[in-house]
């Protein structure tokens, strides 16, 4: 039986129950290997332990450099990129690297898409996408206000039995027994900053997410990338906390965990990660050869043609199945949207001019559209997805039109006949 520590005393990922259960599993593996002279089992246990220690050291290093500056670690951060962050000589250098990481292509896009797993977050995704665009284009004040409001509302909806927003939660409430976002000076400590009261106007620059001061108009100088990046960081940590707390509420009695099952799951995740990294290292941005596409590119072209043929045939049900559906809208409703947007512009003919593969799960197509009385060139973006979110070409998935009500018609008046 594992002796559970006081959550307030958890100061390292190695103190979390799931991490210590994995340690127990490693001990069991070594005993099994010694009893049956299975050297390969003992070797695998050594490899897993090395990786676990590296993960623990990574998060410890992150908080050593950035914990006092109110940066929170979460499962939404790239471990590889965080290794670069902690490989810094000063907290200032680490902070700049972390902010630059949030500004990289696809980082916020990917994280936001992952939030679709929360039903109570889905109605807020369109706002977060706008906040992401504001952030990347330097409108930090807007990004801050949106992310704060989304955090507040999401927590309120995630626990409908309580109806208590994030702003009303005490620091003690932000602890859970098994969540990486709550170790060290993580979410519980930052919650104190989030809820701090301000009763006088202050126009000096601030660099933390003071929710009350910002939302009540007492702090006016928060338009910078530090506050905006910390707000994104906190949003993702809050999502980790919500997921962990929901699990605790749904499973009040501690579950008996089979160490071997935990290790098997760990090994499978490791295998998938290694396989993904291997494919990703080989992948290069490229234009599709429309006359002789490779096998992954052939799938892209087929899905683009399916979309265009459905449009031409006025098959709005099939057309709806070609739409990116991050909010899990009912297909009947999507078919209605397809009819609304596409029936006004019946497709007579089309020609795919160019398809650029800018990322493993993204394709940007240039298509010449011919209607009864108009012709125009449309730039239509496709993403590859499955039920869990974005999917690279070597994973299960289908290509979908992202901005299906915008991209095909954006330049419709550009060269009317």
């Amino acid at each position: 039986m594992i002796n559970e520590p006081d959550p307030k005393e958890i100061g390292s990922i190695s103190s979390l129950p799931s991490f210590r259960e994995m340690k127990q599993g490693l001990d069991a593996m070594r005993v099994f290997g010694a009893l049956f002279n299975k050297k390969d089992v003992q070797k695998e246990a050594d490899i897993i332990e090395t990786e676990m220690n590296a993960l623990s050291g990574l998060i410890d290093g992150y908080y050593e450099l950035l914990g006092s500056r109110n940066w929170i670690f979460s499962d939404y951060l790239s471990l590889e990129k965080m290794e670069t962050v902690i490989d810094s000589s000063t907290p200032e250098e680490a902070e700049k690297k972390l902010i630059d990481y949030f500004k990289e292509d696809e980082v916020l896009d990917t994280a936001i898409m992952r939030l679709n797993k929360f039903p109570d977050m889905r109605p807020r995704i369109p706002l977060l996408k706008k906040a992401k665009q504001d952030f990347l284009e330097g409108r930090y004040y807007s990004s801050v206000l949106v992310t704060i409001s989304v955090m507040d509302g999401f927590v309120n909806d995630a626990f409908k039995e309580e109806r208590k927003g994030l702003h009303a939660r005490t620091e003690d409430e932000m602890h859970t027994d098994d969540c990486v976002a709550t170790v060290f000076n993580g979410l519980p400590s930052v919650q104190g900053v989030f809820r701090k009261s301000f009763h006088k106007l202050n126009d000096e620059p601030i660099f933390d997410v003071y929710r009350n001061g910002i939302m009540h108009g007492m702090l006016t100088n928060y338009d910078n990338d530090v506050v905006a990046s910390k707000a994104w960081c906190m949003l993702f940590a809050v999502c980790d906390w919500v997921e962990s707390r929901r699990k605790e509420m749904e499973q009040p009695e501690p579950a008996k965990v089979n160490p071997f099952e935990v290790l098997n799951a760990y090994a499978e995740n490791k295998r998938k990660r290694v396989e993904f990294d291997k494919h990703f290292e080989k992948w290069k941005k490229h234009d599709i050869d429309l006359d002789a596409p490779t096998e992954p590119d052939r799938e892209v072209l087929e899905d683009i043609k399916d979309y265009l043929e459905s449009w031409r045939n006025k098959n709005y049900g099939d057309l709806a199945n070609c739409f990116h559906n991050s909010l899990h809208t009912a297909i009947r409703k999507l078919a209605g949207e397809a009819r609304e947007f596409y029936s006004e512009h019946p497709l007579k003919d089309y020609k795919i001019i160019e398809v650029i593969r800018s990322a493993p799960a993204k394709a940007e197509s240039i298509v010449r559209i011919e209607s009864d009385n108009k012709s125009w060139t449309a730039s239509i973006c496709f993403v590859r997805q499955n039920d869990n979110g974005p999917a690279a070409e070597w994973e299960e998935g289908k290509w979908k039109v992202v901005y299906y009500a915008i991209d095909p018609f954006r330049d419709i008046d550009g060269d009317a006949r």
Side-chain angles (χ1 to χ4, degrees), residues 47-291:
I47 293 173
I48 294 174
E49 183 172 39
T50 299
E51 293 187 351
M52 289 172 62
N53 290 338
L55 176 61
S56 178
L58 170 65
I59 298 175
D60 290 356
Y62 177 98
Y63 277 112
E64 183 178 341
L65 277 168
L66 297 169
S68 62
R69 288 173 172 253
N70 295 324
W71 290 95
I72 315 172
F73 195 93
S74 76
D75 286 336
Y76 289 78
L77 302 180
S78 162
L79 297 181
E80 180 182 0
K81 295 291 185 179
M82 293 309 103
E83 288 176 357
T84 303
V85 168
I86 69 169
D87 187 22
S88 303
S89 55
T90 64
E92 291 78 12
E93 180 186 352
E95 184 172 76
K96 184 180 184 305
K97 287 181 180 179
L98 185 53
I99 293 171
D100 288 343
Y101 160 73
F102 280 111
K103 294 180 180 180
E104 289 181 13
D105 289 342
E106 308 294 332
V107 167
L108 288 179
D109 271 327
T110 301
I112 290 171
M113 289 182 76
R114 286 179 59 189
L115 298 182
N116 277 295
K117 66 182 178 180
F118 298 104
D120 295 305
M121 185 62 85
R122 290 170 193 159
R124 297 173 167 90
I125 295 294
L127 273 176
L128 288 179
K129 288 181 177 179
K130 292 178 181 178
K132 178 229 25 173
Q133 199 64 35
D134 287 339
F135 174 80
L136 295 179
E137 294 176 1
R139 294 184 292 275
Y140 302 119
Y141 65 92
S142 174
S143 176
V144 168
L145 292 172
V146 172
T147 47
I148 287 176
S149 67
V150 166
M151 280 188 270
D152 265 347
F154 171 58
V155 170
N156 182 76
D157 284 349
F159 304 103
K160 294 179 176 63
E161 59 277 10
E162 299 172 346
R163 285 298 181 190
K164 191 175 181 182
L166 182 62
H167 68 286
R169 305 271 175 173
T170 65
E171 295 175 45
D172 288 345
E173 289 180 87
M174 304 312 293
H175 286 280
T176 63
D177 289 341
D178 200 16
C179 178
V180 69
T182 66
V183 298
F184 281 112
N185 296 317
L187 191 55
S189 176
V190 173
Q191 182 68 0
V193 174
F194 189 75
R195 299 178 71 238
K196 184 177 180 179
S197 296
F198 292 86
H199 304 290
K200 293 182 179 180
L201 179 66
N202 185 342
D203 59 3
E204 294 295 319
I206 63 167
F207 300 99
D208 278 304
V209 187
Y210 295 108
R211 182 263 181 200
N212 289 344
I214 292 171
M215 299 301 285
H216 296 161
M218 293 294 101
L219 303 179
T220 59
N221 200 345
Y222 57 88
D223 184 16
N224 59 71
D225 59 359
V226 178
V227 179
S229 299
K230 284 183 179 180
W232 285 111
C233 218
M234 185 174 183
L235 170 69
F236 301 136
V238 165
C239 290
D240 278 349
W241 170 78
V242 166
E243 188 170 20
S244 177
R245 189 163 183 267
R246 292 301 308 180
K247 287 179 180 177
E248 287 183 353
M249 294 171 68
E250 292 165 5
Q251 198 173 46
E253 293 296 326
K256 293 182 179 180
V257 178
N258 184 326
F260 287 102
E261 290 180 357
V262 173
L263 289 168
N264 285 338
Y266 179 85
E268 177 63 15
N269 287 335
K270 171 193 168 186
R271 184 193 65 76
K272 289 181 179 179
R273 188 173 69 249
V274 169
E275 183 179 355
F276 184 95
D277 290 344
K278 181 172 65 176
H279 284 291
F280 190 80
E281 287 175 6
K282 295 179 180 178
W283 197 91
K284 302 293 182 184
K285 178 179 178 180
H286 62 280
D287 288 6
I288 291 180
D289 184 339
L290 300 180
D291 296 322

Side-chain angles (χ1 to χ4, degrees), residues 220-394:
T220 59
N221 200 345
Y222 57 88
D223 184 16
N224 59 71
D225 59 359
V226 178
V227 179
S229 299
K230 284 183 179 180
W232 285 111
C233 218
M234 185 174 183
L235 170 69
F236 301 136
V238 165
C239 290
D240 278 349
W241 170 78
V242 166
E243 188 170 20
S244 177
R245 189 163 183 267
R246 292 301 308 180
K247 287 179 180 177
E248 287 183 353
M249 294 171 68
E250 292 165 5
Q251 198 173 46
E253 293 296 326
K256 293 182 179 180
V257 178
N258 184 326
F260 287 102
E261 290 180 357
V262 173
L263 289 168
N264 285 338
Y266 179 85
E268 177 63 15
N269 287 335
K270 171 193 168 186
R271 184 193 65 76
K272 289 181 179 179
R273 188 173 69 249
V274 169
E275 183 179 355
F276 184 95
D277 290 344
K278 181 172 65 176
H279 284 291
F280 190 80
E281 287 175 6
K282 295 179 180 178
W283 197 91
K284 302 293 182 184
K285 178 179 178 180
H286 62 280
D287 288 6
I288 291 180
D289 184 339
L290 300 180
D291 296 322
T294 61
E295 186 56 42
D297 289 342
R298 186 176 294 110
E299 181 197 48
V300 182
L301 289 177
E302 289 174 354
D303 287 349
I304 292 175
K305 289 176 182 177
D306 285 345
Y307 158 72
L308 293 167
E309 288 295 331
S310 297
W311 182 0
R312 177 155 63 179
N313 295 331
K314 301 179 182 179
N315 189 330
Y316 301 115
D318 285 351
L319 191 58
N321 281 314
C322 299
F323 294 167
H324 177 57
N325 189 10
S326 61
L327 299 181
H328 302 276
T329 304
I331 197 66
R332 180 177 296 179
K333 183 176 180 181
L334 275 185
E337 292 184 13
R339 180 183 296 276
E340 176 185 354
F341 294 121
Y342 287 78
S343 62
E344 294 183 15
H345 309 288
L347 180 61
K348 183 178 180 181
D349 201 4
Y350 65 87
K351 182 179 180 180
I352 300 173
I353 299 173
E354 183 181 26
V355 180
I356 303 168
R357 294 293 312 282
S358 54
K362 185 177 181 181
E364 298 166 72
S365 67
I366 306 297
V367 183
R368 185 65 181 174
I369 303 294
E370 299 283 344
S371 187
D372 290 336
N373 57 359
K374 289 185 178 181
S375 64
W376 68 95
T377 300
S379 177
I380 306 174
C381 181
F382 288 76
V383 296
R384 199 167 184 278
Q385 68 171 89
N386 56 32
D387 290 340
N388 297 319
E393 62 186 33
W394 52 85

